[in-house]
Amino acid sequence: VDVQKKIESMGAINLAAIDELSDQKERKKYLDDQYTDLSSSVSTLENAIKKIDSETKSKFKEMFDSINSNLNSFFTKIFGGGKAYLELTENDLLNTGVRIMARPPGKLVKNINLLSGGEKAGTGIAFVFSIFKSNPAPFCLLDEVDAPLDDANVTRFCNLLDELTKITNTKFIIVTHHALTMSKMNRLYGVTMPEKGISQLVAVDLQKA
């Protein structure tokens, strides 16, 4: 009697249940396969990110140390002494900033923000040259970077240009109004206006001249 009641409580027999079970098994297998593929892809991406982060840290530290060692050398050559170095703002190499610390000869100032216009320009030049020595490019365009410099520092600046040209083969294009800088260049290009509204390019090869 109890068994009969239990059978009756189950209701009518669903003859399509076997087919539905087969369909649901196939769907479950499909979803399981998709989950396995996604889990594998996530794992692959995480490993790739870890590898990229590790290589990025290594490359950054290597380039940072190289530029840092070059910076003090160029800084002392431009200012005739003093000291300059790079400082990391954070311990995390992936998120850190870089601060330039500079101390021209005869001064106690360290932060570049407290330097004069000419001192900032000289420090900036030393920093750019440090990058080019570590990772030289075919060309470098400098736009009136010598404007705030006095004659002594302009001479040192031009000497550094000669030095970098020899060791890196970089071609420097200098936009300048400083006569001393012009006199140190290999070739000069100027724009004149012989007639109103008409510009003319003038070139002089100083080595041949």
Side-chain angles (χ1 to χ4, degrees), residues 10-22:
M10 294 174 61
I13 297 175
N14 183 5
L15 299 177
I18 297 176
D19 293 335
E20 290 181 6
L21 176 61
S22 177

Side-chain angles (χ1 to χ4, degrees), residues 58-125:
S58 177
K59 292 287 186 181
F60 175 80
K61 189 65 169 63
E62 179 183 346
M63 186 58 65
F64 176 84
D65 291 340
S66 176
I67 294 174
N68 201 9
S69 63
N70 295 333
L71 176 61
N72 190 64
S73 174
F74 284 119
F75 184 86
T76 55
K77 289 177 180 178
I78 289 178
F79 288 96
K83 184 178 181 180
Y85 60 92
L86 300 178
E87 188 178 80
L88 297 176
T89 60
E90 303 287 344
N91 292 327
D92 183 3
L93 294 181
L94 293 177
N95 298 298
T96 185
V98 178
R99 185 184 295 116
I100 301 177
M101 309 300 288
R103 182 183 298 172
K107 287 195 173 185
L108 297 178
V109 176
K110 293 181 68 177
N111 196 311
I112 190 174
N113 293 322
L114 302 177
L115 300 177
S116 67
E119 290 168 340
K120 287 181 180 178
T123 304
I125 292 170

Side-chain angles (χ1 to χ4, degrees), residues 70-82 122 126 129 133 152-153 155-157 159-160 163-164 167:
N70 295 333
L71 176 61
N72 190 64
S73 174
F74 284 119
F75 184 86
T76 55
K77 289 177 180 178
I78 289 178
F79 288 96
F129 284 0
K133 185 176 180 180
N153 285 334
T155 299
R156 297 189 186 106
F157 163 68
N159 291 338
L160 283 181
E163 177 183 333
L164 270 179
I167 64 177

